[in-house]
Amino acid sequence: MNTLFPDKINIYGKRERGLNMNRLMPLLFSSLAIVSIFSFFLINSPNPFPITSKQDLNSVQNQPEDDNDHRLHSHAVQVKQIPPPTKDEECDLFKGQWVPDLRGPLYTNSSCRSIPESKNCFKNGRKDTDFLNWKWKPEKCELPEFDPKAFLEIVRGKKMAFIGDSVARNHVESLLCLLSQEELPEEIYKDSEDRFRTWYFPQHDFTLMKLWSKYLIAADERMVNGTGSGIFDLHIDKIDDEWAKHLPDLDYAIISDGHWFFRVLYLLEGDNLIGCVYCNQPNITGLNISNAVRMAFRTAFKYISNCKKCKGGLLTLLRTFAPAHFENGAWNTGGHCNRTSPFGEAQVDFTKFDWEMRNIQIEEMKGARKEGKNIRVLDITRAMLMRPDGHPGIHWGNQWMKGYSDCVHWCMPGPVDYWSNFLMALIRN
Ligand SMILES: *[C@@H]1O[C@H](CO)[C@@H](O)[C@H](O)[C@H]1NC(C)=O
Ligand SMILES: *[C@@H]1O[C@H](CO)[C@@H](O)[C@H](O)[C@H]1NC(C)=O
Ligand SMILES: *[C@@H]1O[C@H](CO)[C@@H](O)[C@H](O)[C@H]1NC(C)=O
Ligand SMILES: *[C@@H]1O[C@H](CO)[C@@H](O)[C@H](O)[C@H]1NC(C)=O
Ligand SMILES: *[C@@H]1O[C@H](CO)[C@@H](O)[C@H](O)[C@H]1NC(C)=O
């Protein structure tokens, strides 16, 4: 039996909002109940079943961690204090450590008025501030400061979209706070669920979008008597058109995803069921999360590679998987994340599933890049594995879920703001 199931049983036992379990039980697997509620927490914290058990991922560990894909040539970055690298020496921006930096963040909860309640950690009672006093230091160079003015100049006249789940939303929210220090955008579109949004920066003619996608590919939630079951059919040969239809308009597409794969999934190719994740049905091929993630990202990147209507200058960035940091349990079993300072690299467990997730995503990106499209990696996984202190934890300000920790999303201000330093370094290059 899969080690994830105990967690799942627990969560379903505990949380039955809007779901009559007795009515449902006959339909269900004896060992598995269904969550139907796509409640506020799940929408905001799409990683309800983080894998906490150590898995033997030696194959992943042994993969070379360095590849030229995410290297930037040294002339692309401002080098301070340390001598500039020699001509052949390249700087991997994503490999380094967090070092003390007492200058503090570029914004506060008063200078940025758009911090969402769920990430406004200080407003919600967080007292420790040390987690703000660190900056990311690549091994061989410096990561350029985030400069909202320079950023807006680079993207003048362009359209940029963040495509993915609520962690992609977290990034766009952070970028908005950073940019609003220079220019306040107008919000020109927002759907009722905060899943698709568009902002416009008139002084720079810059359009910023959030395009929601749980899986990047087409997915249908199975309904049980009109109620969502939390079980999805994924169509591995079909793109999720809700984001894909916008691709031809874009100059920058920042793709990420991953937190919705930790659940029962049925994978279909055309009309054929090719397997399932966690379904435990003897007549269906059992696949694991890695297989599903790989198929989804392969389809998404293939779609981008083959996009004939896309602009020639389209730059696609894979923002790699953002790790969660639940300790001593999952989110629903008392797991928490109350650390107040970063880890060093030696404290990071690279056998955790987060790292495999990142590697799969990068492998699929590389496959697509061979087709000639401009696709690069914004590889935050390593840096963020070192930031167990960056999450809201219990300070996330949702009343009915009080007592649970959000160890998936990131406080604002906080280390999530560095994702935009990486972004700026990549688009400037
Ligand atoms: C769905 O509704 C029908 C008719 O009301 C009922 O017979 C059936 O048991 C319900 N199924 C579930 C899973 O609740
Ligand atoms: C900002 O955080 C402080 C606590 O540090 C809190 O008292 C205040 O209400 C917050 N302000 C806003 C606008 O969120
Ligand atoms: C697998 O077996 C179940 C139960 O016998 C059946 O309902 C289902 O249709 C089967 N699925 C496939 C793909 O054959
Ligand atoms: C998933 O399955 C593949 C084989 O299809 C295997 O190589 C990989 O290690 C598995 N991943 C996990 C996390 O079990
Ligand atoms: C974090 O929470 C755990 C469990 O509630 C507690 O034992 C520990 O002391 C806390 N650590 C900090 C730094 O608050």
Side-chain angles (χ1 to χ4, degrees), residues 158-162 169 172 176 184-192 194-202 205-212 242 245-246 249-250:
K158 309 276 196 208
K159 283 197 172 68
M160 173 181 281
F162 286 78
R169 174 162 65 210
V172 88
L176 279 167
L184 272 177
E186 295 161 11
E187 179 152 6
I188 57 176
Y189 179 76
K190 182 180 184 178
D191 70 351
S192 58
D194 189 14
R195 294 184 162 193
F196 293 86
R197 291 176 78 174
T198 307
W199 299 266
Y200 182 63
F201 293 76
D205 184 25
F206 170 52
T207 306
L208 182 59
M209 304 171 92
K210 167 67 182 61
L211 303 176
W212 175 267
E242 291 300 305
K245 68 185 178 194
H246 295 283
D249 297 332
L250 301 179

mmCIF file of all heavy atoms in Angstrom, residues 158-162 169 172 176 184-192 194-202 205-212 242 245-246 249-250:
data_model
loop_
_atom_site.group_PDB
_atom_site.id
_atom_site.type_symbol
_atom_site.label_atom_id
_atom_site.label_comp_id
_atom_site.label_asym_id
_atom_site.label_seq_id
_atom_site.Cartn_x
_atom_site.Cartn_y
_atom_site.Cartn_z
ATOM 1 N N LYS A 158 5.663 44.741 -23.809
ATOM 2 C CA LYS A 158 5.575 43.274 -23.888
ATOM 3 C C LYS A 158 4.435 42.718 -23.034
ATOM 4 O O LYS A 158 3.871 43.420 -22.189
ATOM 5 C CB LYS A 158 6.885 42.660 -23.392
ATOM 6 C CG LYS A 158 8.128 43.215 -24.024
ATOM 7 C CD LYS A 158 8.442 42.539 -25.333
ATOM 8 C CE LYS A 158 9.872 42.850 -25.732
ATOM 9 N NZ LYS A 158 10.092 42.838 -27.143
ATOM 10 N N LYS A 159 4.178 41.435 -23.276
ATOM 11 C CA LYS A 159 3.197 40.696 -22.477
ATOM 12 C C LYS A 159 3.886 39.500 -21.822
ATOM 13 O O LYS A 159 4.566 38.728 -22.492
ATOM 14 C CB LYS A 159 2.072 40.172 -23.358
ATOM 15 C CG LYS A 159 1.049 41.192 -23.779
ATOM 16 C CD LYS A 159 -0.221 40.484 -24.273
ATOM 17 C CE LYS A 159 -1.341 41.456 -24.532
ATOM 18 N NZ LYS A 159 -1.067 42.340 -25.701
ATOM 19 N N MET A 160 3.642 39.373 -20.523
ATOM 20 C CA MET A 160 4.247 38.279 -19.763
ATOM 21 C C MET A 160 3.147 37.551 -19.022
ATOM 22 O O MET A 160 2.276 38.179 -18.437
ATOM 23 C CB MET A 160 5.248 38.875 -18.764
ATOM 24 C CG MET A 160 5.845 37.894 -17.771
ATOM 25 S SD MET A 160 6.998 38.717 -16.605
ATOM 26 C CE MET A 160 8.476 38.860 -17.602
ATOM 27 N N ALA A 161 3.205 36.207 -19.049
ATOM 28 C CA ALA A 161 2.186 35.454 -18.302
ATOM 29 C C ALA A 161 2.838 34.413 -17.408
ATOM 30 O O ALA A 161 3.808 33.757 -17.801
ATOM 31 C CB ALA A 161 1.222 34.773 -19.257
ATOM 32 N N PHE A 162 2.273 34.299 -16.212
ATOM 33 C CA PHE A 162 2.642 33.241 -15.280
ATOM 34 C C PHE A 162 1.571 32.168 -15.380
ATOM 35 O O PHE A 162 0.399 32.434 -15.135
ATOM 36 C CB PHE A 162 2.726 33.786 -13.858
ATOM 37 C CG PHE A 162 3.938 34.631 -13.631
ATOM 38 C CD1 PHE A 162 3.994 35.939 -14.093
ATOM 39 C CD2 PHE A 162 5.044 34.116 -12.966
ATOM 40 C CE1 PHE A 162 5.131 36.715 -13.899
ATOM 41 C CE2 PHE A 162 6.182 34.890 -12.764
ATOM 42 C CZ PHE A 162 6.223 36.189 -13.234
ATOM 43 N N ARG A 169 0.792 31.897 -8.837
ATOM 44 C CA ARG A 169 0.092 33.119 -8.414
ATOM 45 C C ARG A 169 0.909 33.863 -7.349
ATOM 46 O O ARG A 169 1.032 35.080 -7.383
ATOM 47 C CB ARG A 169 -1.288 32.751 -7.862
ATOM 48 C CG ARG A 169 -2.037 33.929 -7.270
ATOM 49 C CD ARG A 169 -3.513 33.635 -7.157
ATOM 50 N NE ARG A 169 -3.800 32.572 -6.214
ATOM 51 C CZ ARG A 169 -4.848 31.741 -6.304
ATOM 52 N NH1 ARG A 169 -5.696 31.839 -7.284
ATOM 53 N NH2 ARG A 169 -5.030 30.806 -5.398
ATOM 54 N N VAL A 172 3.579 35.850 -9.041
ATOM 55 C CA VAL A 172 3.095 37.065 -9.711
ATOM 56 C C VAL A 172 2.721 38.125 -8.665
ATOM 57 O O VAL A 172 2.973 39.314 -8.848
ATOM 58 C CB VAL A 172 1.951 36.735 -10.695
ATOM 59 C CG1 VAL A 172 0.596 36.760 -10.061
ATOM 60 C CG2 VAL A 172 1.964 37.646 -11.888
ATOM 61 N N LEU A 176 4.327 41.776 -8.471
ATOM 62 C CA LEU A 176 3.495 42.987 -8.445
ATOM 63 C C LEU A 176 3.920 43.923 -7.327
ATOM 64 O O LEU A 176 3.969 45.142 -7.503
ATOM 65 C CB LEU A 176 2.023 42.613 -8.251
ATOM 66 C CG LEU A 176 1.291 42.160 -9.510
ATOM 67 C CD1 LEU A 176 -0.034 41.510 -9.134
ATOM 68 C CD2 LEU A 176 1.052 43.347 -10.442
ATOM 69 N N LEU A 184 2.328 51.699 -10.281
ATOM 70 C CA LEU A 184 1.144 50.942 -9.861
ATOM 71 C C LEU A 184 0.370 50.509 -11.105
ATOM 72 O O LEU A 184 -0.014 51.337 -11.916
ATOM 73 C CB LEU A 184 0.233 51.800 -8.997
ATOM 74 C CG LEU A 184 0.506 51.826 -7.505
ATOM 75 C CD1 LEU A 184 -0.460 52.792 -6.824
ATOM 76 C CD2 LEU A 184 0.394 50.434 -6.889
ATOM 77 N N PRO A 185 0.138 49.209 -11.235
ATOM 78 C CA PRO A 185 -0.597 48.762 -12.422
ATOM 79 C C PRO A 185 -2.104 48.945 -12.252
ATOM 80 O O PRO A 185 -2.597 49.104 -11.146
ATOM 81 C CB PRO A 185 -0.263 47.273 -12.493
ATOM 82 C CG PRO A 185 -0.032 46.876 -11.074
ATOM 83 C CD PRO A 185 0.547 48.087 -10.377
ATOM 84 N N GLU A 186 -2.792 48.895 -13.389
ATOM 85 C CA GLU A 186 -4.246 48.831 -13.358
ATOM 86 C C GLU A 186 -4.607 47.366 -13.514
ATOM 87 O O GLU A 186 -4.031 46.677 -14.349
ATOM 88 C CB GLU A 186 -4.833 49.565 -14.571
ATOM 89 C CG GLU A 186 -4.565 51.043 -14.589
ATOM 90 C CD GLU A 186 -4.750 51.632 -15.997
ATOM 91 O OE1 GLU A 186 -5.273 50.939 -16.899
ATOM 92 O OE2 GLU A 186 -4.348 52.795 -16.175
ATOM 93 N N GLU A 187 -5.569 46.922 -12.745
ATOM 94 C CA GLU A 187 -6.032 45.556 -12.947
ATOM 95 C C GLU A 187 -7.098 45.600 -14.025
ATOM 96 O O GLU A 187 -8.105 46.285 -13.872
ATOM 97 C CB GLU A 187 -6.607 44.991 -11.658
ATOM 98 C CG GLU A 187 -7.098 43.594 -11.877
ATOM 99 C CD GLU A 187 -7.052 42.733 -10.631
ATOM 100 O OE1 GLU A 187 -6.736 43.252 -9.560
ATOM 101 O OE2 GLU A 187 -7.334 41.549 -10.761
ATOM 102 N N ILE A 188 -6.867 44.905 -15.130
ATOM 103 C CA ILE A 188 -7.842 45.017 -16.214
ATOM 104 C C ILE A 188 -8.693 43.779 -16.381
ATOM 105 O O ILE A 188 -9.674 43.789 -17.102
ATOM 106 C CB ILE A 188 -7.189 45.434 -17.554
ATOM 107 C CG1 ILE A 188 -6.103 44.454 -17.956
ATOM 108 C CG2 ILE A 188 -6.622 46.849 -17.456
ATOM 109 C CD1 ILE A 188 -5.505 44.784 -19.322
ATOM 110 N N TYR A 189 -8.327 42.699 -15.728
ATOM 111 C CA TYR A 189 -9.215 41.527 -15.766
ATOM 112 C C TYR A 189 -9.013 40.709 -14.497
ATOM 113 O O TYR A 189 -7.891 40.513 -14.042
ATOM 114 C CB TYR A 189 -8.933 40.649 -16.998
ATOM 115 C CG TYR A 189 -9.821 39.434 -17.021
ATOM 116 C CD1 TYR A 189 -11.162 39.545 -17.390
ATOM 117 C CD2 TYR A 189 -9.355 38.189 -16.596
ATOM 118 C CE1 TYR A 189 -12.009 38.448 -17.356
ATOM 119 C CE2 TYR A 189 -10.197 37.075 -16.566
ATOM 120 C CZ TYR A 189 -11.523 37.219 -16.942
ATOM 121 O OH TYR A 189 -12.355 36.134 -16.897
ATOM 122 N N LYS A 190 -10.108 40.224 -13.957
ATOM 123 C CA LYS A 190 -10.029 39.287 -12.836
ATOM 124 C C LYS A 190 -11.259 38.404 -12.859
ATOM 125 O O LYS A 190 -12.375 38.912 -12.905
ATOM 126 C CB LYS A 190 -9.972 40.052 -11.511
ATOM 127 C CG LYS A 190 -9.829 39.138 -10.310
ATOM 128 C CD LYS A 190 -9.785 39.927 -9.001
ATOM 129 C CE LYS A 190 -9.534 38.967 -7.844
ATOM 130 N NZ LYS A 190 -9.422 39.632 -6.566
ATOM 131 N N ASP A 191 -11.061 37.095 -12.851
ATOM 132 C CA ASP A 191 -12.230 36.217 -12.807
ATOM 133 C C ASP A 191 -12.666 36.062 -11.355
ATOM 134 O O ASP A 191 -12.010 36.538 -10.430
ATOM 135 C CB ASP A 191 -11.932 34.867 -13.463
ATOM 136 C CG ASP A 191 -10.963 34.023 -12.651
ATOM 137 O OD1 ASP A 191 -10.387 34.530 -11.672
ATOM 138 O OD2 ASP A 191 -10.774 32.849 -12.992
ATOM 139 N N SER A 192 -13.781 35.390 -11.171
ATOM 140 C CA SER A 192 -14.358 35.356 -9.820
ATOM 141 C C SER A 192 -13.503 34.547 -8.855
ATOM 142 O O SER A 192 -13.587 34.725 -7.654
ATOM 143 C CB SER A 192 -15.767 34.783 -9.889
ATOM 144 O OG SER A 192 -15.702 33.489 -10.454
ATOM 145 N N ASP A 194 -10.090 34.352 -8.865
ATOM 146 C CA ASP A 194 -8.711 34.791 -8.752
ATOM 147 C C ASP A 194 -7.758 33.830 -9.468
ATOM 148 O O ASP A 194 -6.668 33.563 -9.008
ATOM 149 C CB ASP A 194 -8.344 34.933 -7.265
ATOM 150 C CG ASP A 194 -6.986 35.590 -7.070
ATOM 151 O OD1 ASP A 194 -6.457 36.159 -8.036
ATOM 152 O OD2 ASP A 194 -6.450 35.528 -5.950
ATOM 153 N N ARG A 195 -8.242 33.257 -10.557
ATOM 154 C CA ARG A 195 -7.400 32.294 -11.268
ATOM 155 C C ARG A 195 -6.808 32.888 -12.546
ATOM 156 O O ARG A 195 -5.696 32.542 -12.929
ATOM 157 C CB ARG A 195 -8.211 31.042 -11.576
ATOM 158 C CG ARG A 195 -8.576 30.339 -10.284
ATOM 159 C CD ARG A 195 -9.286 29.052 -10.501
ATOM 160 N NE ARG A 195 -9.194 28.275 -9.268
ATOM 161 C CZ ARG A 195 -9.491 26.990 -9.169
ATOM 162 N NH1 ARG A 195 -9.907 26.341 -10.218
ATOM 163 N NH2 ARG A 195 -9.356 26.357 -8.035
ATOM 164 N N PHE A 196 -7.580 33.742 -13.164
ATOM 165 C CA PHE A 196 -7.083 34.425 -14.361
ATOM 166 C C PHE A 196 -7.131 35.913 -14.058
ATOM 167 O O PHE A 196 -8.191 36.446 -13.712
ATOM 168 C CB PHE A 196 -7.959 34.096 -15.575
ATOM 169 C CG PHE A 196 -7.859 32.661 -15.984
ATOM 170 C CD1 PHE A 196 -8.656 31.704 -15.382
ATOM 171 C CD2 PHE A 196 -6.942 32.265 -16.950
ATOM 172 C CE1 PHE A 196 -8.546 30.360 -15.739
ATOM 173 C CE2 PHE A 196 -6.836 30.929 -17.317
ATOM 174 C CZ PHE A 196 -7.632 29.979 -16.710
ATOM 175 N N ARG A 197 -6.003 36.548 -14.162
ATOM 176 C CA ARG A 197 -5.969 37.987 -13.887
ATOM 177 C C ARG A 197 -5.034 38.655 -14.881
ATOM 178 O O ARG A 197 -4.081 38.039 -15.365
ATOM 179 C CB ARG A 197 -5.487 38.267 -12.461
ATOM 180 C CG ARG A 197 -6.485 37.824 -11.421
ATOM 181 C CD ARG A 197 -5.967 38.024 -10.021
ATOM 182 N NE ARG A 197 -6.051 39.421 -9.580
ATOM 183 C CZ ARG A 197 -5.751 39.820 -8.340
ATOM 184 N NH1 ARG A 197 -5.345 38.954 -7.434
ATOM 185 N NH2 ARG A 197 -5.842 41.089 -8.005
ATOM 186 N N THR A 198 -5.305 39.911 -15.136
ATOM 187 C CA THR A 198 -4.437 40.686 -16.029
ATOM 188 C C THR A 198 -4.238 42.077 -15.454
ATOM 189 O O THR A 198 -5.203 42.703 -15.003
ATOM 190 C CB THR A 198 -5.076 40.810 -17.435
ATOM 191 O OG1 THR A 198 -5.403 39.511 -17.912
ATOM 192 C CG2 THR A 198 -4.115 41.466 -18.425
ATOM 193 N N TRP A 199 -3.007 42.495 -15.445
ATOM 194 C CA TRP A 199 -2.666 43.849 -15.015
ATOM 195 C C TRP A 199 -1.975 44.562 -16.167
ATOM 196 O O TRP A 199 -1.302 43.941 -16.989
ATOM 197 C CB TRP A 199 -1.702 43.820 -13.826
ATOM 198 C CG TRP A 199 -2.234 43.158 -12.604
ATOM 199 C CD1 TRP A 199 -2.852 43.759 -11.543
ATOM 200 C CD2 TRP A 199 -2.167 41.763 -12.271
ATOM 201 N NE1 TRP A 199 -3.180 42.826 -10.583
ATOM 202 C CE2 TRP A 199 -2.777 41.592 -11.004
ATOM 203 C CE3 TRP A 199 -1.670 40.628 -12.922
ATOM 204 C CZ2 TRP A 199 -2.882 40.351 -10.382
ATOM 205 C CZ3 TRP A 199 -1.784 39.393 -12.298
ATOM 206 C CH2 TRP A 199 -2.385 39.269 -11.048
ATOM 207 N N TYR A 200 -2.123 45.884 -16.144
ATOM 208 C CA TYR A 200 -1.491 46.676 -17.200
ATOM 209 C C TYR A 200 -0.739 47.845 -16.554
ATOM 210 O O TYR A 200 -1.276 48.519 -15.672
ATOM 211 C CB TYR A 200 -2.567 47.194 -18.156
ATOM 212 C CG TYR A 200 -1.997 47.976 -19.313
ATOM 213 C CD1 TYR A 200 -1.158 47.353 -20.239
ATOM 214 C CD2 TYR A 200 -2.293 49.334 -19.474
ATOM 215 C CE1 TYR A 200 -0.620 48.066 -21.294
ATOM 216 C CE2 TYR A 200 -1.757 50.048 -20.533
ATOM 217 C CZ TYR A 200 -0.919 49.409 -21.440
ATOM 218 O OH TYR A 200 -0.387 50.111 -22.481
ATOM 219 N N PHE A 201 0.485 48.035 -16.997
ATOM 220 C CA PHE A 201 1.328 49.133 -16.509
ATOM 221 C C PHE A 201 1.383 50.181 -17.620
ATOM 222 O O PHE A 201 2.197 50.053 -18.545
ATOM 223 C CB PHE A 201 2.738 48.619 -16.197
ATOM 224 C CG PHE A 201 2.818 47.657 -15.042
ATOM 225 C CD1 PHE A 201 2.400 46.338 -15.185
ATOM 226 C CD2 PHE A 201 3.310 48.066 -13.807
ATOM 227 C CE1 PHE A 201 2.473 45.447 -14.117
ATOM 228 C CE2 PHE A 201 3.386 47.178 -12.735
ATOM 229 C CZ PHE A 201 2.964 45.868 -12.890
ATOM 230 N N PRO A 202 0.511 51.196 -17.544
ATOM 231 C CA PRO A 202 0.385 52.108 -18.695
ATOM 232 C C PRO A 202 1.667 52.850 -19.038
ATOM 233 O O PRO A 202 1.967 53.041 -20.220
ATOM 234 C CB PRO A 202 -0.732 53.069 -18.273
ATOM 235 C CG PRO A 202 -0.954 52.854 -16.819
ATOM 236 C CD PRO A 202 -0.442 51.504 -16.471
ATOM 237 N N ASP A 205 3.550 50.300 -20.917
ATOM 238 C CA ASP A 205 2.814 49.479 -21.866
ATOM 239 C C ASP A 205 3.132 47.995 -21.652
ATOM 240 O O ASP A 205 3.364 47.238 -22.597
ATOM 241 C CB ASP A 205 3.162 49.919 -23.314
ATOM 242 C CG ASP A 205 2.338 49.167 -24.353
ATOM 243 O OD1 ASP A 205 1.241 48.695 -24.014
ATOM 244 O OD2 ASP A 205 2.811 49.033 -25.503
ATOM 245 N N PHE A 206 3.135 47.608 -20.397
ATOM 246 C CA PHE A 206 3.491 46.231 -20.046
ATOM 247 C C PHE A 206 2.255 45.524 -19.504
ATOM 248 O O PHE A 206 1.565 46.051 -18.632
ATOM 249 C CB PHE A 206 4.609 46.236 -18.988
ATOM 250 C CG PHE A 206 4.898 44.888 -18.382
ATOM 251 C CD1 PHE A 206 5.160 43.780 -19.182
ATOM 252 C CD2 PHE A 206 4.928 44.721 -16.998
ATOM 253 C CE1 PHE A 206 5.425 42.544 -18.621
ATOM 254 C CE2 PHE A 206 5.206 43.486 -16.428
ATOM 255 C CZ PHE A 206 5.456 42.395 -17.238
ATOM 256 N N THR A 207 2.001 44.331 -20.044
ATOM 257 C CA THR A 207 0.845 43.545 -19.610
ATOM 258 C C THR A 207 1.339 42.304 -18.877
ATOM 259 O O THR A 207 2.204 41.573 -19.381
ATOM 260 C CB THR A 207 0.003 43.110 -20.823
ATOM 261 O OG1 THR A 207 -0.317 44.283 -21.578
ATOM 262 C CG2 THR A 207 -1.279 42.424 -20.389
ATOM 263 N N LEU A 208 0.775 42.094 -17.706
ATOM 264 C CA LEU A 208 1.175 40.968 -16.863
ATOM 265 C C LEU A 208 -0.063 40.118 -16.632
ATOM 266 O O LEU A 208 -1.129 40.653 -16.287
ATOM 267 C CB LEU A 208 1.722 41.519 -15.543
ATOM 268 C CG LEU A 208 2.262 40.546 -14.503
ATOM 269 C CD1 LEU A 208 3.407 39.711 -15.068
ATOM 270 C CD2 LEU A 208 2.747 41.329 -13.277
ATOM 271 N N MET A 209 0.068 38.815 -16.815
ATOM 272 C CA MET A 209 -1.103 37.942 -16.675
ATOM 273 C C MET A 209 -0.808 36.773 -15.755
ATOM 274 O O MET A 209 0.311 36.283 -15.683
ATOM 275 C CB MET A 209 -1.505 37.357 -18.038
ATOM 276 C CG MET A 209 -1.777 38.390 -19.092
ATOM 277 S SD MET A 209 -1.978 37.619 -20.714
ATOM 278 C CE MET A 209 -3.747 37.382 -20.707
ATOM 279 N N LYS A 210 -1.867 36.346 -15.084
ATOM 280 C CA LYS A 210 -1.819 35.064 -14.372
ATOM 281 C C LYS A 210 -2.811 34.145 -15.058
ATOM 282 O O LYS A 210 -3.985 34.492 -15.166
ATOM 283 C CB LYS A 210 -2.213 35.267 -12.902
ATOM 284 C CG LYS A 210 -2.489 33.963 -12.155
ATOM 285 C CD LYS A 210 -1.226 33.151 -11.997
ATOM 286 C CE LYS A 210 -1.440 31.803 -11.308
ATOM 287 N NZ LYS A 210 -2.327 30.869 -11.948
ATOM 288 N N LEU A 211 -2.303 33.038 -15.571
ATOM 289 C CA LEU A 211 -3.167 32.068 -16.249
ATOM 290 C C LEU A 211 -3.157 30.775 -15.445
ATOM 291 O O LEU A 211 -2.112 30.155 -15.255
ATOM 292 C CB LEU A 211 -2.659 31.803 -17.673
ATOM 293 C CG LEU A 211 -2.516 33.026 -18.593
ATOM 294 C CD1 LEU A 211 -1.897 32.604 -19.927
ATOM 295 C CD2 LEU A 211 -3.864 33.702 -18.807
ATOM 296 N N TRP A 212 -4.308 30.422 -14.960
ATOM 297 C CA TRP A 212 -4.415 29.276 -14.055
ATOM 298 C C TRP A 212 -4.386 27.967 -14.807
ATOM 299 O O TRP A 212 -5.089 27.805 -15.811
ATOM 300 C CB TRP A 212 -5.730 29.401 -13.280
ATOM 301 C CG TRP A 212 -6.038 28.237 -12.404
ATOM 302 C CD1 TRP A 212 -6.789 27.142 -12.726
ATOM 303 C CD2 TRP A 212 -5.598 28.045 -11.054
ATOM 304 N NE1 TRP A 212 -6.855 26.287 -11.654
ATOM 305 C CE2 TRP A 212 -6.133 26.809 -10.621
ATOM 306 C CE3 TRP A 212 -4.806 28.796 -10.183
ATOM 307 C CZ2 TRP A 212 -5.890 26.314 -9.332
ATOM 308 C CZ3 TRP A 212 -4.580 28.291 -8.909
ATOM 309 C CH2 TRP A 212 -5.111 27.072 -8.492
ATOM 310 N N GLU A 242 -7.095 26.723 -21.781
ATOM 311 C CA GLU A 242 -7.368 27.956 -21.050
ATOM 312 C C GLU A 242 -6.132 28.847 -20.963
ATOM 313 O O GLU A 242 -6.226 30.061 -20.934
ATOM 314 C CB GLU A 242 -7.886 27.641 -19.651
ATOM 315 C CG GLU A 242 -9.271 27.016 -19.641
ATOM 316 C CD GLU A 242 -10.320 27.927 -20.272
ATOM 317 O OE1 GLU A 242 -10.441 29.072 -19.817
ATOM 318 O OE2 GLU A 242 -10.994 27.482 -21.221
ATOM 319 N N LYS A 245 -4.430 29.094 -25.227
ATOM 320 C CA LYS A 245 -4.995 30.000 -26.233
ATOM 321 C C LYS A 245 -4.384 31.401 -26.145
ATOM 322 O O LYS A 245 -4.464 32.168 -27.099
ATOM 323 C CB LYS A 245 -6.516 30.061 -26.105
ATOM 324 C CG LYS A 245 -7.019 30.722 -24.836
ATOM 325 C CD LYS A 245 -8.548 30.641 -24.737
ATOM 326 C CE LYS A 245 -9.026 31.271 -23.440
ATOM 327 N NZ LYS A 245 -10.421 30.931 -23.126
ATOM 328 N N HIS A 246 -3.764 31.715 -25.027
ATOM 329 C CA HIS A 246 -3.129 33.031 -24.886
ATOM 330 C C HIS A 246 -1.677 33.049 -25.390
ATOM 331 O O HIS A 246 -1.080 34.111 -25.528
ATOM 332 C CB HIS A 246 -3.121 33.462 -23.416
ATOM 333 C CG HIS A 246 -4.490 33.697 -22.857
ATOM 334 N ND1 HIS A 246 -5.210 34.836 -23.128
ATOM 335 C CD2 HIS A 246 -5.276 32.947 -22.053
ATOM 336 C CE1 HIS A 246 -6.383 34.779 -22.509
ATOM 337 N NE2 HIS A 246 -6.451 33.645 -21.854
ATOM 338 N N ASP A 249 -0.106 35.489 -27.956
ATOM 339 C CA ASP A 249 0.009 36.913 -27.603
ATOM 340 C C ASP A 249 1.262 37.224 -26.795
ATOM 341 O O ASP A 249 1.577 38.384 -26.566
ATOM 342 C CB ASP A 249 -1.178 37.331 -26.710
ATOM 343 C CG ASP A 249 -2.502 37.187 -27.421
ATOM 344 O OD1 ASP A 249 -2.508 37.304 -28.661
ATOM 345 O OD2 ASP A 249 -3.511 36.945 -26.736
ATOM 346 N N LEU A 250 1.906 36.190 -26.283
ATOM 347 C CA LEU A 250 2.903 36.419 -25.232
ATOM 348 C C LEU A 250 4.313 36.636 -25.760
ATOM 349 O O LEU A 250 4.707 36.083 -26.786
ATOM 350 C CB LEU A 250 2.933 35.225 -24.277
ATOM 351 C CG LEU A 250 1.617 34.882 -23.570
ATOM 352 C CD1 LEU A 250 1.801 33.656 -22.684
ATOM 353 C CD2 LEU A 250 1.117 36.070 -22.750
#
